[in-house]
Amino acid sequence: GAVVSQHPSWVICKSGTSVKIECRSLDFQATTMFWYRQFPKQSLMLMATSNEGSKATYEQGVEKDKFLINHASLTLSTLTVTSAHPEDSSFYICSARDRAPYEQYFGPGTRLTVT
Amino acid sequence: GQQVMQIPQYQHVQEGEDFTTYCNSSTTLSNIQWYKQRPGGHPVFLIQLVKSGEVKKQKRLTFQFGEAKKNSSLHITATQTTDVGTYFCAGDRSGGSNYKLTFGKGTLLTVNP
């Protein structure tokens, strides 16, 4: 199956700083990538849909100025958590959608801890 | 908005017993997908169901999509310890350019050897 990588796999940062997470589709081109957030023992919450070359579409309640998404190429999308606070600590997972049959492949996730 | 309900939230079984998780959508779905997430891991795609009443099998796993395309189930026969994890269903309502998956809350399966 297709492979999606994510970097870094974990990061600890201080409150007020910004953190960038990269998501890459390694062996296919992904016109659409998705960013999810997952709290412990909970489901995946879609944060935004990222389309190559256009602005991301954010879900209701997700601050687009806080969670900056850039999808500059068909294989790379980035999520920047700006001015991070402890409540932003979570597991962030990206996924990329392949062409038909439209399977969605998930990256390994990034565990963010804000101190 | 679209909601996808999944039950049960937890299921503990003895190795060899069967397991079923159910998924129900408030709206008709274009397709439904199932994922498995091992503890500490990320979701891994299992299968996609598209047709009304569709049934697909993967070894000991049987997936069904309801006639109305609003519900689905995953059944595991004779569970093994390797089946441990959280099983998520995810519904797609759009079927087109507005593709977006809505995930159920998942069912955490634990298996006692």
Side-chain angles (χ1 to χ4, degrees):
Chain A
V3 178
V4 175
S5 72
Q6 213 171 316
H7 177 80
S9 55
W10 60 269
V11 58
I12 301 172
C13 71
K14 291 186 177 180
S15 189
T17 61
S18 295
V19 173
K20 179 185 280 189
I21 303 169
E22 291 187 351
C23 178
R24 293 180 185 273
S25 56
L26 297 186
D27 50 2
F28 67 102
Q29 293 183 333
T31 53
T32 305
M33 289 185 171
F34 305 89
W35 287 96
Y36 293 86
R37 185 173 180 177
Q38 187 177 36
F39 290 104
K41 299 183 180 181
Q42 294 192 22
S43 189
L44 291 88
M45 184 193 79
L46 179 65
M47 298 175 66
T49 302
S50 167
N51 293 297
E52 185 264 339
S54 64
K55 291 183 179 180
T57 302
Y58 289 82
E59 294 300 301
Q60 192 172 10
V62 178
E63 299 176 58
K64 56 184 176 183
D65 293 332
K66 181 168 185 61
F67 299 99
L68 301 178
I69 292 173
N70 182 275
H71 194 156
S73 76
L74 287 172
T75 59
L76 172 65
S77 176
T78 61
L79 166 67
T80 302
V81 183
T82 62
S83 187
H85 288 103
E87 56 264 32
D88 298 325
S89 299
S90 188
F91 191 48
Y92 293 88
I93 312 177
C94 73
S95 71
R97 189 187 183 200
D98 201 352
R99 292 184 174 84
Y102 303 118
E103 294 178 12
Q104 193 164 321
Y105 299 95
F106 284 82
T110 297
R111 192 161 301 281
L112 170 64
T113 302
V114 184
T115 61
Chain B
Q2 178 187 1
Q3 290 194 6
V4 175
M5 310 300 291
Q6 193 173 351
I7 58 169
Q9 191 174 358
Y10 305 98
Q11 184 77 60
H12 178 74
V13 300
Q14 285 291 127
E15 190 171 23
E17 291 181 340
D18 292 356
F19 159 76
T20 305
T21 173
Y22 301 90
C23 196
N24 191 60
S25 169
S26 56
T27 58
T28 301
L29 301 170
S30 298
N31 65 78
I32 195 160
Q33 301 177 17
W34 285 90
Y35 293 80
K36 177 184 179 181
Q37 185 175 21
R38 286 201 162 96
H42 62 279
V44 174
F45 176 85
L46 293 177
I47 209 159
Q48 177 178 264
L49 304 171
V50 180
K51 298 177 182 177
S52 168
E54 188 169 16
V55 177
K56 287 187 176 180
K57 291 190 176 184
Q58 289 180 350
K59 297 183 180 178
R60 295 178 294 105
L61 277 62
T62 302
F63 304 84
Q64 293 188 4
F65 200 11
E67 294 291 339
K69 300 182 73 173
K70 284 188 174 183
N71 55 67
S72 181
S73 65
L74 158 59
H75 180 80
I76 301 178
T77 304
T79 55
Q80 299 174 359
T81 54
T82 53
D83 295 327
V84 165
T86 301
Y87 293 84
F88 292 99
C89 62
D92 170 22
R93 188 175 59 176
S94 67
S97 57
N98 294 323
Y99 166 90
K100 182 172 69 176
L101 288 180
T102 300
F103 280 80
K105 290 189 180 298
T107 297
L108 172 60
L109 171 65
T110 54
V111 179
N112 199 31

